[in-house]
Amino acid sequence: MYRDVSSCNTYNYGDATYWDARYVQDAEMGHFDWYQRYSGLRPFIRMYIPSFSSRILMVGCGNALMSEDMVKDGYEDITNIDISSVAIEMMRRKYECIPQLKYKQMDVRDMSFFLDESFDCVIDKGTLDSLMCGSDASTSAARMLGEVSRLLKAGGIYMLITYGDPSVRMLHLNQPVYNWRIILYIIPRPGFQKPANNSSTSRSYLEPVPLTEKGLLPPDFVVEDPDSHFIYVCKKMDETELSSITYPLDVDHL
């Protein structure tokens, strides 16, 4: 249960050459959003990034509409990076008249172009997953997460949207060097319908998921949709903050 499944043995998703070729091949499709559209993530974005003037970094932006939709919702400063120069050039041309959106080709494992503590929030929708499908995955993940932590201001948020459950993601995220307080949410894939014969009481996906002391799901926890997506909200703590701080969601952010 809760396996980290992917097509890692088929493609090297951590390689720029693969993505350049893919974006050339799929150019006529226009756009593609991994996992979730902004509408599904909006309650979490609005809660954890309450200020529209926050400086946001979207890693592995690809040709998704996520950043465009966030600008339409009021966000004013989103820097988008991707390892694919093809995707970046495509998106730069598309949004050249929208000053709130900036695009730059960059590898998340080396974001030295940016100064320390440059961003209030880093959003990752599938980029860490891609690196986990590349060569030397653990090293690549550590380099990326180290850079994300470096770029975040104290109190900043790294929001990871992934197919990886805690058994395969927490060992990478829950490292003392990052100084992150991690809260987990689980949301079903778009279009998921609960089976008619399932009489269990559904919990709100806006409720944080309880974790064991080891950062894992409790043995009796039931994930209704086997293809659910996991949202890890990682807050960069400073030395004066208490580890008990939490940020419950409420209906006002729907």
mmCIF file of all heavy atoms in Angstrom, residues 32 36 68 90 93 122 145 169 214:
data_model
loop_
_atom_site.group_PDB
_atom_site.id
_atom_site.type_symbol
_atom_site.label_atom_id
_atom_site.label_comp_id
_atom_site.label_asym_id
_atom_site.label_seq_id
_atom_site.Cartn_x
_atom_site.Cartn_y
_atom_site.Cartn_z
ATOM 1 N N PHE A 32 -0.361 21.664 -20.362
ATOM 2 C CA PHE A 32 -0.656 20.453 -19.599
ATOM 3 C C PHE A 32 -0.332 20.714 -18.134
ATOM 4 O O PHE A 32 0.764 21.167 -17.804
ATOM 5 C CB PHE A 32 0.170 19.266 -20.104
ATOM 6 C CG PHE A 32 -0.087 17.990 -19.335
ATOM 7 C CD1 PHE A 32 -1.212 17.230 -19.601
ATOM 8 C CD2 PHE A 32 0.788 17.576 -18.345
ATOM 9 C CE1 PHE A 32 -1.456 16.063 -18.890
ATOM 10 C CE2 PHE A 32 0.562 16.409 -17.631
ATOM 11 C CZ PHE A 32 -0.567 15.652 -17.910
ATOM 12 N N GLN A 36 -2.954 18.292 -10.577
ATOM 13 C CA GLN A 36 -4.098 19.114 -10.200
ATOM 14 C C GLN A 36 -4.049 20.458 -10.920
ATOM 15 O O GLN A 36 -2.975 20.999 -11.159
ATOM 16 C CB GLN A 36 -4.109 19.377 -8.687
ATOM 17 C CG GLN A 36 -4.207 18.141 -7.821
ATOM 18 C CD GLN A 36 -5.629 17.648 -7.660
ATOM 19 O OE1 GLN A 36 -6.599 18.399 -7.831
ATOM 20 N NE2 GLN A 36 -5.772 16.370 -7.310
ATOM 21 N N GLU A 68 -0.599 31.243 -14.566
ATOM 22 C CA GLU A 68 -1.564 32.158 -15.184
ATOM 23 C C GLU A 68 -2.825 32.259 -14.338
ATOM 24 O O GLU A 68 -3.346 33.361 -14.093
ATOM 25 C CB GLU A 68 -1.929 31.667 -16.587
ATOM 26 C CG GLU A 68 -3.020 32.489 -17.261
ATOM 27 C CD GLU A 68 -3.479 31.905 -18.582
ATOM 28 O OE1 GLU A 68 -2.716 31.112 -19.185
ATOM 29 O OE2 GLU A 68 -4.593 32.246 -19.021
ATOM 30 N N MET A 90 8.844 29.002 -24.937
ATOM 31 C CA MET A 90 7.439 28.950 -25.322
ATOM 32 C C MET A 90 6.585 29.789 -24.368
ATOM 33 O O MET A 90 5.734 30.580 -24.806
ATOM 34 C CB MET A 90 6.973 27.486 -25.299
ATOM 35 C CG MET A 90 5.539 27.247 -25.709
ATOM 36 S SD MET A 90 5.049 25.517 -25.381
ATOM 37 C CE MET A 90 6.436 24.636 -26.119
ATOM 38 N N ARG A 93 7.294 33.695 -24.506
ATOM 39 C CA ARG A 93 6.607 34.351 -25.622
ATOM 40 C C ARG A 93 5.108 34.487 -25.335
ATOM 41 O O ARG A 93 4.496 35.519 -25.633
ATOM 42 C CB ARG A 93 6.814 33.561 -26.915
ATOM 43 C CG ARG A 93 8.237 33.609 -27.465
ATOM 44 C CD ARG A 93 8.252 33.173 -28.931
ATOM 45 N NE ARG A 93 7.702 31.837 -29.102
ATOM 46 C CZ ARG A 93 8.419 30.722 -29.103
ATOM 47 N NH1 ARG A 93 9.737 30.786 -28.928
ATOM 48 N NH2 ARG A 93 7.844 29.545 -29.286
ATOM 49 N N VAL A 122 7.761 28.553 -2.417
ATOM 50 C CA VAL A 122 8.173 27.745 -3.566
ATOM 51 C C VAL A 122 7.098 26.691 -3.782
ATOM 52 O O VAL A 122 6.741 25.957 -2.854
ATOM 53 C CB VAL A 122 9.540 27.067 -3.329
ATOM 54 C CG1 VAL A 122 9.896 26.174 -4.513
ATOM 55 C CG2 VAL A 122 10.625 28.109 -3.107
ATOM 56 N N LEU A 145 16.193 20.086 -2.670
ATOM 57 C CA LEU A 145 15.561 20.517 -1.426
ATOM 58 C C LEU A 145 16.464 21.446 -0.630
ATOM 59 O O LEU A 145 15.981 22.371 0.032
ATOM 60 C CB LEU A 145 15.171 19.293 -0.594
ATOM 61 C CG LEU A 145 14.099 18.393 -1.231
ATOM 62 C CD1 LEU A 145 13.884 17.147 -0.392
ATOM 63 C CD2 LEU A 145 12.795 19.157 -1.423
ATOM 64 N N ARG A 169 8.390 9.965 0.787
ATOM 65 C CA ARG A 169 8.735 11.379 0.669
ATOM 66 C C ARG A 169 9.279 11.978 1.974
ATOM 67 O O ARG A 169 10.148 12.838 1.940
ATOM 68 C CB ARG A 169 7.515 12.192 0.204
ATOM 69 C CG ARG A 169 7.147 11.966 -1.264
ATOM 70 C CD ARG A 169 8.202 12.492 -2.199
ATOM 71 N NE ARG A 169 7.890 12.174 -3.589
ATOM 72 C CZ ARG A 169 8.351 11.112 -4.243
ATOM 73 N NH1 ARG A 169 9.158 10.258 -3.627
ATOM 74 N NH2 ARG A 169 8.022 10.886 -5.492
ATOM 75 N N LYS A 214 7.051 8.952 13.429
ATOM 76 C CA LYS A 214 8.039 8.744 12.367
ATOM 77 C C LYS A 214 7.653 9.454 11.072
ATOM 78 O O LYS A 214 8.333 9.319 10.059
ATOM 79 C CB LYS A 214 8.220 7.250 12.108
ATOM 80 C CG LYS A 214 8.828 6.501 13.292
ATOM 81 C CD LYS A 214 9.055 5.031 12.949
ATOM 82 C CE LYS A 214 9.709 4.302 14.101
ATOM 83 N NZ LYS A 214 9.945 2.860 13.781
#
